[in-house]
Structures are given as C-alpha cells and as structure tokens.
Amino acid sequence: MREAEHAVIPPLQVGDALLLIDLQNDFFPGGALPIARAETVVPVLNDWIEAATAADLPVYASRDWHPPDHASFINQGGQWPRHCVQDTFGAAFRDDVALPPRVIPISKGAAFDRDAYSAFDGTGLASALHQRGVRRLWVGGLALDVCVQATVLDALKAGFETHLIREGSRPVDERDGREAVTAMRHAGALLEPDAPES
Ligand code: VGL
Ligand code: ZN
C-alpha cells in the first residue's frame, strides 16, 4: 500500500502564522454552498496545523457567520444561497479539520446589511496580527476565488508576507480560481509550493 502523501512544509519560525479560511460544513459537499473537491484540502491543512502547532505558532480560523436573513442571500437580493447561518450545523467548522485547542476564531459577515469576504474585513485582524508580531502568513481554505482571494489581497495590503497554500484551497469556479491565483501573484503573494505561471 502506498503511504499517504504529506504536504511539503517549509521551515516555520517565530513571526509566522497560519490563517485558515471558512472550513465550514456548508462549503463542503452536501452543504448549502458546496465547493467541488473541498474535502481534498483537509489532509493538506491538517499537516499545516500540525506543523504550526509543533512550532508553537498561532493558528487563526475564519468563519462566515451570517444572520438568518443576510444581505448576501438570494432571498434578500444577494448572490448566494442561504449558508453559514450563525449557530447552525452548516456554519460549524468541519469536524475532520484538526483545529488546535488554542485556535483563534475570526467571525466575519455578521453585519445584516453587507457581506465580508476577507477575514480582515471589519474584524480587526490586521492589528491583532501586528500586535502579536506576525510578519508572515500562510493562507488556505475556502473558497479560493472568493474569501481566500479577498483575504490574501488584504493581507498583502496590510504589509504581511503572504503565502497561498495552493493545495489547501479550492474554488467555487475553476476558471475564477485560476484567475484568482494570477491576481494574488501579481499583487505579491507567494505560492506554496511555488509553481510556474499558468
Ligand atoms: C464564501 C461565498 C459566500 C467563501 C462566503 O467563504 O468563500 N463564498 N460567502
Ligand atoms: Zn457568505
């Protein structure tokens, strides 16, 4: 039997942090806004969680955290099916993601009247990271072309060296996903592992 493959993880150091985006039931197959092959990110990100925890580095996990009649829902004139409603199963972190006991959750999209794709949007995350001395961020999760993209672009704007964990993210739409990777690279994001321009 072939041994399970593990993510290749570069040496991590003080000042690094892992930022996991929206690993919530609703974004996995069977959920309200399912992303194709989302389950493939779980073993990859679990390896990263293990490495970050072993190096005593902080792990942040954002969650889409919408009120029941959120402005982003189709029935409210928005673009998305009802998803990640606060305190529902769909909004819970997927239980095979090995979040450490000291995970730092970040709730976003909780305002009734506006959406927030980025984990930095309205959360105070940039100052929290700066205060903690974080300089380099590794970002993975869902969805590559929506909340991961918005988060990575904001992280770069906030001055962090920002790495996208490519195998730890999946898009809503494949083509949008490729465009998102290009846009992130052009904005200065580094790819982990590095890959030639597509
Ligand atoms: C997301 C669509 C709507 C995401 C959140 O987490 O990427 N996508 N809300
Ligand atoms: Zn949402």
Side-chain angles (χ1 to χ4, degrees):
M1 200 171 83
R2 207 165 68 96
E3 244 180 84
E5 280 177 44
H6 279 280
V8 177
I9 296 175
L12 300 175
Q13 62 195 42
V14 173
D16 294 346
L18 182 58
L19 176 52
L20 304 172
I21 304 302
D22 300 3
L23 296 169
Q24 297 165 274
N25 291 315
D26 270 344
F27 296 122
F28 285 83
L33 210 169
I35 292 162
R37 299 201 293 121
E39 71 283 355
T40 63
V41 310
V42 174
V44 175
L45 296 177
N46 279 345
D47 284 351
W48 278 85
I49 291 169
E50 194 180 309
T53 306
D56 205 21
L57 299 173
V59 176
Y60 294 81
S62 73
R63 59 181 185 179
D64 219 25
W65 197 243
H66 297 317
D69 287 317
H70 190 243
S72 77
F73 298 168
I74 289 162
N75 70 342
Q76 299 295 314
Q79 174 185 3
W80 304 106
R82 197 171 193 268
H83 65 282
C84 295
V85 173
Q86 294 166 10
D87 293 310
T88 63
F89 174 80
F93 291 119
R94 193 164 133 121
D95 70 4
D96 58 357
V97 177
L99 294 175
R102 290 170 65 193
V103 66
I104 302 154
I106 306 157
S107 301
K108 64 180 176 65
F112 292 97
D113 56 345
R114 62 180 286 269
D115 209 356
Y117 288 157
S118 163
F120 289 90
D121 189 351
T123 61
L125 177 60
S127 33
L129 292 171
H130 286 311
Q131 253 172 42
R132 200 168 166 147
V134 172
R135 292 179 301 277
R136 305 197 300 178
L137 276 177
W138 274 268
V139 184
L142 303 169
L144 178 62
D145 49 343
V146 187
C147 290
V148 171
Q149 172 171 226
T151 298
V152 164
L153 295 177
D154 276 354
L156 291 163
K157 280 186 208 142
F160 298 100
E161 180 185 310
T162 309
H163 300 250
L164 169 69
I165 304 170
R166 183 65 194 84
E167 301 304 316
S169 189
R170 293 283 309 149
V172 172
D173 177 271
E174 291 291 340
R175 192 162 153 260
D176 289 350
R178 287 190 293 274
E179 286 176 10
V181 172
T182 302
M184 288 185 260
R185 285 179 83 116
H186 287 170
L190 302 164
L191 249 60
E192 192 66 51
D194 200 10
E197 189 93 41
S198 51

